[in-house]
Amino acid sequence: MKKGEIYEGIIQKVDFPNKGCIYIEDQKVTVKNGIPGQKIRFIINKKRSGRVEGRLLEVLEKSPLETREPVCSIFPACGGCMYQTMAYEDQLNMKEQQVRELLGQALADSNGDYQWDGIYGSPTEFAYRNKMEFSFGDEYKDGPLSLGLHKKGSTYDVLTARDCKLVHGDMTKILTCVLEYCRTQKLPYYKKMQHIGYLRHLLLRRGVTTGEILVHIITTSQEEHDFTLLKDQLLELPLDGGIVGIMHIINDSLSDVVRSDETKILYGQDYFYENLLGLKFKISTFSFFQPNTLAAEVLYSIVRDYIGDTKDMEVFDLYSGTGTIAQLAAPVAKEVIGVEIVEEAVEAARENAALNGLDNCRFIAGDVLKVLDEVPEKPDVIILDPPRDGIHPKALPKILAYNVDRIIYISCKATSLARDLLAFLQAGYRVEKACCVDQFCSTVHIETVVRLQRKHT
């Protein structure tokens, strides 16, 4: 096989997260963005260390697993939810198989049997996201202004998401209103390569249980514009929920991330409330909160069960976000200490603990790597919920040095989890039980929860 050659083949299986496996004359080729059973045409674009990768050109025949019609107008060009044509049960089966295979490889030599508790689906398959970032751009060069999600495999072309089914209909109404306004006003979008332009993103957050909505229009400072008319139009929209805050965020960062150099409140407040497992959470613009509230309730119920009895115990919640897990563990613990690098999330966690009447939660803003050197308390139980890349290699030895009997690891990227597990196994832990929770229906992502126990205990 040579780079640039074009082949056809059938995807035999899909490895986590979306790596389709095709065999051409006993040579394995990895092609992303496919579904098991599809016959595809692809081009060889990478060859290194015996591995061959291809790029999908065309789906020639649908998979037998594709039993449903697309639910939105921009599928399959949009890379947001690749598996929407598969029955949800088949999605769950595929994701469970992917994670079990990764764990099996990681634990093959030193762990022995462990209890597999299966995969738990989301209570709602669509309209589940409580947060969405949409980008301004165009669908093709010099085309009309678009607002939505990037084309699959592209960092530039943006497809207008007028009927995205991952979000509540309130969000698509707001998106349509903002897009029509910006087109009427002839506002230019920000071009990432030239670093010129005005419109960057539309960030929406909506409480699933409260219906409270935050709207954020994110622009550069290269122009000045009065958004009063847009504010009035948004507030007149017939929504199921209600807008509680509209913000104009200035972001002059060269990187394509949503952040704030300056935030102007055009209406209301910069936070909303959400309820989860009997607790109330105040969530601000950049606070981390699980994007699928109802599936998060499933996830945290399992985590609470895996934690077990913490009576009179010191619990460390590392990578604690807005302190959701810490507050669920607090009622039956001596104290919970949460560590989170995002200061805004820590402030929110402190407010939320006070809101819920919990006085035995303490939240520290800082990098886990550094904070662990400064905290005098010693944990009895550790909860880990790191970002996608997993635990920093230099933080792992510090976590292991506590020699706690029980560790709960929540992972949003199973490959990072499988890598980190090796360090725990070498330090004398074994995986006692594990499961998956699907918070991201129709997408390639899955949450995994593992309970680790020291072998001598």
Side-chain angles (χ1 to χ4, degrees):
M1 287 186 175
K2 296 179 181 178
K3 286 178 68 172
E5 289 183 341
I6 295 175
Y7 291 86
E8 295 179 3
I10 295 174
I11 300 174
Q12 301 298 324
K13 58 178 286 202
V14 175
D15 291 332
F16 181 87
N18 63 337
K19 297 177 180 178
C21 302
I22 298 172
Y23 292 88
I24 305 292
E25 298 176 356
D26 296 327
Q27 172 67 62
K28 179 182 175 181
V29 184
T30 300
V31 182
K32 292 183 177 181
N33 302 320
I35 290 174
Q38 282 180 337
K39 183 177 181 180
I40 63 169
R41 179 179 289 119
F42 60 94
I43 184 170
I44 304 297
N45 63 346
K46 284 184 185 176
K47 284 191 74 176
R48 55 187 174 191
S49 306
R51 291 181 297 174
V52 182
E53 296 180 20
R55 178 168 55 84
L56 178 66
L57 297 176
E58 182 185 2
V59 175
L60 300 173
E61 294 178 15
K62 292 171 72 171
S63 163
L65 295 175
E66 292 184 88
T67 57
R68 306 193 300 190
E69 292 301 313
V71 296
C72 77
S73 59
I74 56 176
F75 179 87
C78 170
C81 47
M82 299 176 40
Y83 302 135
Q84 61 170 268
T85 54
M86 293 173 65
Y88 189 44
E89 193 65 34
D90 290 329
Q91 294 179 36
L92 293 177
N93 290 339
M94 181 180 68
K95 290 182 180 184
E96 180 179 17
Q97 182 181 339
Q98 290 173 348
V99 173
R100 292 216 67 183
E101 191 168 301
L102 282 170
L103 291 182
Q105 292 166 0
L107 307 178
D109 298 326
S110 54
N111 193 83
D113 291 336
Y114 66 97
Q115 178 180 314
W116 176 252
D117 292 332
I119 186 168
Y120 296 80
S122 170
T124 53
E125 188 183 348
F126 296 107
Y128 59 82
R129 287 197 65 98
N130 57 40
K131 176 185 177 183
M132 202 70 164
E133 294 175 7
F134 295 109
S135 299
F136 285 96
D138 52 23
E139 293 190 19
Y140 52 89
K141 189 175 181 182
D142 300 324
L145 182 68
S146 57
L147 175 57
L149 302 167
H150 288 281
K151 277 185 183 177
K152 193 185 298 179
S154 172
T155 56
Y156 301 104
D157 301 335
V158 175
L159 301 163
T160 293
R162 291 181 187 271
D163 57 352
C164 176
K165 294 300 185 290
L166 297 188
V167 298
H168 189 278
D170 284 354
M171 288 195 184
T172 51
K173 286 180 182 177
I174 291 168
L175 177 146
T176 301
C177 176
V178 171
L179 176 60
E180 295 307 322
Y181 173 86
C182 292
R183 282 180 174 177
T184 301
Q185 298 293 319
K186 295 182 169 53
L187 299 176
Y189 74 88
Y190 177 72
K191 297 184 177 179
K192 290 179 286 189
M193 293 299 290
Q194 296 96 323
H195 306 304
I196 56 171
Y198 186 57
L199 301 170
R200 298 195 71 159
H201 297 93
L202 173 67
L203 168 61
L204 302 178
R205 304 196 74 159
R206 184 186 189 277
V208 172
T209 64
T210 63
E212 295 182 350
I213 301 167
L214 293 184
V215 180
H216 312 80
I217 296 101
I218 296 136
T219 73
T220 67
S221 62
Q222 294 180 27
E223 293 190 16
E224 287 192 9
H225 186 81
D226 183 353
F227 283 105
T228 302
L229 178 58
L230 174 59
K231 176 200 73 174
D232 294 339
Q233 290 178 1
L234 288 170
L235 293 175
E236 290 171 0
L237 288 174
L239 305 176
D240 291 340
I243 295 173
V244 296
I246 302 174
M247 269 68 67
H248 176 200
I249 294 176
I250 309 297
N251 173 18
D252 283 321
S253 168
L254 295 181
S255 57
D256 189 30
V257 294
V258 175
R259 46 159 279 190
S260 172
D261 296 328
E262 180 187 358
T263 298
K264 303 173 183 177
I265 298 179
L266 306 180
Y267 168 80
Q269 62 207 33
D270 62 353
Y271 60 89
F272 71 102
Y273 288 102
E274 183 70 299
N275 301 308
L276 196 152
L277 290 176
L279 296 175
K280 189 173 185 179
F281 292 92
K282 178 182 177 182
I283 304 165
S284 54
T285 299
F286 295 108
S287 294
F288 174 78
F289 196 80
Q290 292 288 356
N292 181 339
T293 303
L294 300 182
E297 290 196 318
V298 176
L299 173 68
Y300 291 144
S301 296
I302 292 165
V303 170
R304 193 159 56 181
D305 177 61
Y306 276 26
I307 292 170
D309 183 18
T310 55
K311 189 176 184 339
D312 300 324
M313 288 186 179
E314 191 81 37
V315 179
F316 277 15
D317 180 13
L318 306 182
Y319 313 96
S320 56
T322 48
T324 316
I325 298 173
Q327 291 173 70
L328 291 170
V332 289
K334 174 185 172 185
E335 182 185 40
V336 181
I337 295 177
V339 181
E340 169 59 48
I341 198 167
V342 180
E343 290 193 22
E344 188 177 357
V346 172
E347 286 302 318
R350 290 169 181 159
E351 281 191 59
N352 289 329
L355 191 67
N356 291 306
L358 299 169
D359 58 7
N360 64 334
C361 288
R362 184 151 55 93
F363 296 99
I364 302 170
D367 190 336
V368 167
L369 179 62
K370 297 175 182 177
V371 170
L372 293 183
D373 291 332
E374 302 162 0
V375 177
E377 289 84 1
K378 302 298 180 190
D380 299 298
V381 177
I382 294 176
I383 303 163
L384 301 165
D385 190 3
R388 286 194 188 284
D389 289 338
I391 302 167
H392 193 288
K394 292 182 179 178
L396 259 173
K398 297 181 181 182
I399 293 167
L400 294 169
Y402 286 117
N403 289 320
V404 300
D405 290 340
R406 199 182 323 149
I407 295 174
I408 313 301
Y409 192 137
I410 304 141
S411 171
C412 57
K413 187 177 180 183
T415 46
S416 299
L417 169 66
R419 180 202 65 214
D420 290 347
L421 283 179
L422 297 177
F424 289 100
L425 299 178
Q426 291 166 4
Y429 287 89
R430 70 180 302 277
V431 172
E432 194 172 58
K433 52 185 176 178
C435 69
C436 292
V437 180
D438 187 24
Q439 289 205 96
F440 311 101
C441 317
S442 296
T443 78
V444 302
H445 305 293
I446 186 73
E447 296 272 333
T448 308
V449 187
V450 169
R451 172 170 159 147
L452 292 144
Q453 194 82 18
R454 281 195 68 80
K455 287 183 180 178
H456 74 274
T457 59

